[in-house]
Amino acid sequence: MGVDDVPMDDKARRMRDLLSSFYSPDPSSPSKTPNASSRFATLDTINTTTFDVDQYMNLLVQKSNLEGLLQRHVDMAAEIKNLDTDLQMLVYENYNKFVSATDAIKRMKNNIVGMETNMEQLLEKIMSVQSRSDGVNTSLFEKREHIEKLHRTRNLLRKVQFIYDLPATLAKCIKSEAYADAVKYYIGAMPIFKIYGDSSFLDCKRASEEAIAIIIKALQGKVFSDSESIQARAEAVMLLKQLDFPVNNLKEQLFEKLEQFLVDLHLEYKEIRYASSGLGGIPVSASSSSHEASIREFAEAVRAYRVIFPDSEQQLFRLAKELATKHFEATKQHIKKQVSSTDLVAMLRVIWTDVLLMDEVLPEAGLRDFTFEAAHDAIKQYVACTFSYLLLDISDALVKVHDNQKGVIEEEYPLQSALETSKKALVQGSMGALLDSRLLLDENLEVLSSLTDLIIEWVQEGFQDFFRKLNDHFFMLSGKKYSANQDLTFGEGMQGDKVLPELVLLLAQLSVFIEQNAITRITEEISSFSGGGTRGYENSSAFIPTEICRIFRSAGEELLQHYISLKTQKILIVLKKRFTTPNWVKHKEPREVHMFVDLLLQELDTILNEVKQILPEGLQPKHRRTDSNGSTTSSRSNPLRDDRLVRSNTQKARSQLLESHLAKLFKQKMEIFIKVEHTQESVITTIIKLFLKSLQEFVRLQTFNRSGFQQIQLDIHFLKTTLKDTAEDEAAVDFLLDEVIVAAAERCLDPIPLEPAILDRLTQAKLAKNSDQNSPS
């Protein structure tokens, strides 16, 4: 094994061991104690004091070959030579140190020679000086004692003179308002007054206390005086503390004054009137400048209080936040009373100015963050109130229908006027809400700039919620939905049999307008300034035009169908009264068209007048009888057969069954009816079809004699004459009229019809009578 295989740290350790063995030849303290057992012997044992040559050679021969032994011999010879050189250098270095130390000792010995003589001479001189100093002190001792005694007497006389002159001195200080000097003099005399104040200096003490009482009152006046500077008021409090005056009472009184000042300031804030004119929306009233001056005065008072009472910061923080809170409470009250965005900006500007003034005085109070949070709530309330008032404006326009019904408002076309007013209120109100929002976004005010994204989201959410509430309100007015917590109340005509059908028709057409026109325009305006907001349209909380359009499309169809149902039910009342009142088996011979036909036609005229005011005309031509491909005759072969004269009990049971299911007839969609369009002709035709189908069912529930049958025939013939220009689908109407006659013939005991000439004569007589009644007298 060669020397190069041994790590470097082993070489260093071996060198240290050699040096240690050189300087410490004691074998009892070796640097390393190897194991005595030969089985643990290694080549490293050569560096120990227990080194065994034979054992080492045996181990070396066992572990190394011939080349290794020769190399080990060379390495060991070089290592021995290096060790000898190191030891020689170490001896030389130590020898040089010993020589240097010897030279230093020799120089020190030469320098000390003669110093003992000089020290003895110095000691003699010191002793001489001390003896002469003792002599001087002895000679001057008596005079020094006398001088010190005279000095103490002089100081005592000065103190006595100061005490006697103290009342006059305090009076001069009061006159010159040098209260700090007066307090200093009085405090200096307090130890003497405590000892001799009740005996030798009683009069001086009383006079001084009277002067101090005057000074205390003057200092209190300074503390409460707003004309004094902050430093002067703080100095007055410090002087009162030195006089052991209860300053805590002053602290409470001053804080109550600040609170009262805030209350008065709040009342003054209520009197500020905001106007859109003026510089930057700032209030232009005369109280504006006084308000700003009051806030500055309040801020200075708070600053002084903080300097005077440094431990009152938390109270002042609460007071400053209370100022901001009262500001926003007043603002929210204005918002509830419907305030414009310009006025709202003016309010926020005043609030922000006040907050900045207070933030300079109390920067640690966190007024800015507090104001941002309060402004967040106020502006959110403003956006919500904007849409609430918009809903109220639309509802007020709809109230005109009720007022017209009660005769409060007399207009030639009340439904058309109410519809136009509602459209105008919806469009202008929506555009106004967007304009107000745009003004808030464009305003260069820090408290608004931080809420830009939120304002956009609130406007989108406001429109979404507004249209949902508007849809619910439409259904509430139509009687299809009732909300116990509804905010907008309109008295009568909202539910049950009090629902106004014309109002339902107006709501249906207004829903169509919202779906086809209003939503599109509002969406364009929102996109022009919002940029989609921070959440976008895909979120359910934002404004989703497609959902609103779907809601109002469905609402328009449902409300129109509800209007038709209400009108049909009103006609059914007339039909039911007509067919249940007389005894059709004993009916007299017909002489004229029955008056119930007039009632039906009057109701149809009312419906026609309503739909003409609101609904547009249809684009398709009327479906005449000649245009119909199907037969308009009855599906029955001969309605006048003789065997119809006798009815069996089975036919009576069938009539009872039809009567029990009559209510279900109007809830089920019949194949004869097509989808109702938002046109005049479609609505009128659908109502006519419904009441004719109902007329047919009422006829089927009765049993007629010949006269009763002929009366039905006459009434239907007159209806066919008057309805031919009213219905859009004339063929279907004629078919239903024929079905009524067929049903009457089936239920007649002697179904002999009137001659056509008689029918025409009675019909013309009725038409002439109606013409005379309608012509002006």
Side-chain angles (χ1 to χ4, degrees), residues 32-50:
K32 182 176 182 183
T33 305
N35 197 327
S37 177
S38 61
R39 58 191 179 131
F40 296 107
T42 62
L43 296 177
D44 293 336
T45 56
I46 193 173
N47 296 325
T48 63
T49 57
T50 60

Side-chain angles (χ1 to χ4, degrees), residues 207-273:
S208 299
E209 288 177 348
E210 293 175 357
I212 288 299
I214 297 174
I215 292 173
I216 290 176
K217 291 182 180 180
L219 291 176
Q220 287 180 330
K222 270 196 169 187
V223 172
F224 288 100
S225 176
D226 296 331
S227 61
E228 295 290 340
S229 65
I230 300 176
Q231 291 77 9
R233 297 165 71 182
E235 183 181 357
V237 172
M238 296 303 297
L239 294 176
L240 289 172
K241 286 183 178 180
Q242 294 178 15
L243 294 174
D244 295 332
F245 186 82
V247 183
N248 288 333
N249 294 336
L250 283 177
K251 181 178 179 181
E252 294 176 359
Q253 293 176 10
L254 279 175
F255 192 77
E256 290 176 359
K257 185 177 180 181
L258 288 177
E259 289 179 331
Q260 185 62 37
F261 188 90
L262 182 59
V263 172
D264 297 339
L265 181 67
H266 179 56
L267 294 175
E268 183 180 352
Y269 171 74
K270 287 183 178 179
E271 297 173 359
I272 295 179
R273 296 295 181 263

